[in-house]
Amino acid sequence: MKTPADEGLEALKERANDAADLLRLLANPTRLLLLCQIARGECSVAELERDLGLRQPGLSQQLAELRQNQLVKTRRESRSIYYSLADARVQVLLEALHEALCGDPQLQQATRPPARMAPAPGESARFARIER
């Protein structure tokens, strides 16, 4: 009989490649900034260029990557193209990243793993000793 933990692990195994691909897309600083800005609300290319200080060629390349991977969608209005999020998972991940990295510093300190305690006297020497 499978436990809920076993089922969760099986689901993760089935989706591990998808998760890794999504995280790879978020791992680029420019794409991450673009997604953060777009997550705040629909943005035109000109707004993204101005607000993030990005040059058109690099901006277009990164937006194309996000479009090809269906993380953003476009809407044309006259001569302007507007971008918005197309994948709800991105919003969830961005919120988690923001909370973990940009949230309340006291909360971050409280949830950080404790520093390792110094070994007891003689313990490190025993660990480092090479027996022959």
Side-chain angles (χ1 to χ4, degrees):
M1 180 179 205
K2 284 188 176 182
T3 67
D6 292 336
E7 291 174 6
L9 182 59
E10 288 299 317
L12 182 59
K13 284 180 182 178
E14 291 174 11
R15 304 294 311 266
N17 286 334
D18 293 338
D21 288 341
L22 180 57
L23 292 173
R24 179 190 60 81
L25 289 165
L26 294 176
N28 176 285
T30 302
R31 286 194 297 264
L32 185 59
L33 284 172
L34 284 168
L35 288 169
C36 287
Q37 188 70 13
I38 293 168
R40 299 175 72 200
E42 187 180 64
C43 298
S44 70
V45 174
E47 291 169 333
L48 292 168
E49 189 175 11
R50 180 194 68 225
D51 294 345
L52 298 176
L54 299 172
R55 295 235 180 242
Q56 183 68 35
L59 176 63
S60 294
Q61 181 183 12
Q62 297 306 328
L63 287 170
E65 178 92 11
L66 295 173
R67 251 190 343 268
Q68 288 169 359
N69 287 281
Q70 300 168 347
L71 299 185
V72 297
K73 58 187 174 185
T74 61
R75 176 180 69 82
R76 179 179 287 278
E77 185 176 300
S78 185
R79 292 177 52 188
S80 297
I81 297 177
Y82 291 86
Y83 285 84
S84 59
L85 291 182
D87 190 330
R89 301 173 305 171
V90 172
Q91 183 73 39
V92 172
L93 288 171
L94 292 175
E95 288 172 3
L97 280 171
H98 186 270
E99 182 63 32
L101 301 174
C102 307
D104 182 0
Q106 290 180 338
L107 179 61
Q108 290 175 7
Q109 187 66 26
T111 58
R112 197 172 285 151
R116 295 186 82 172
M117 300 279 295
E123 187 174 330
S124 60
R126 184 173 18 140
F127 174 77
R129 184 179 311 142
I130 298 173
E131 303 279 335
R132 291 189 192 235

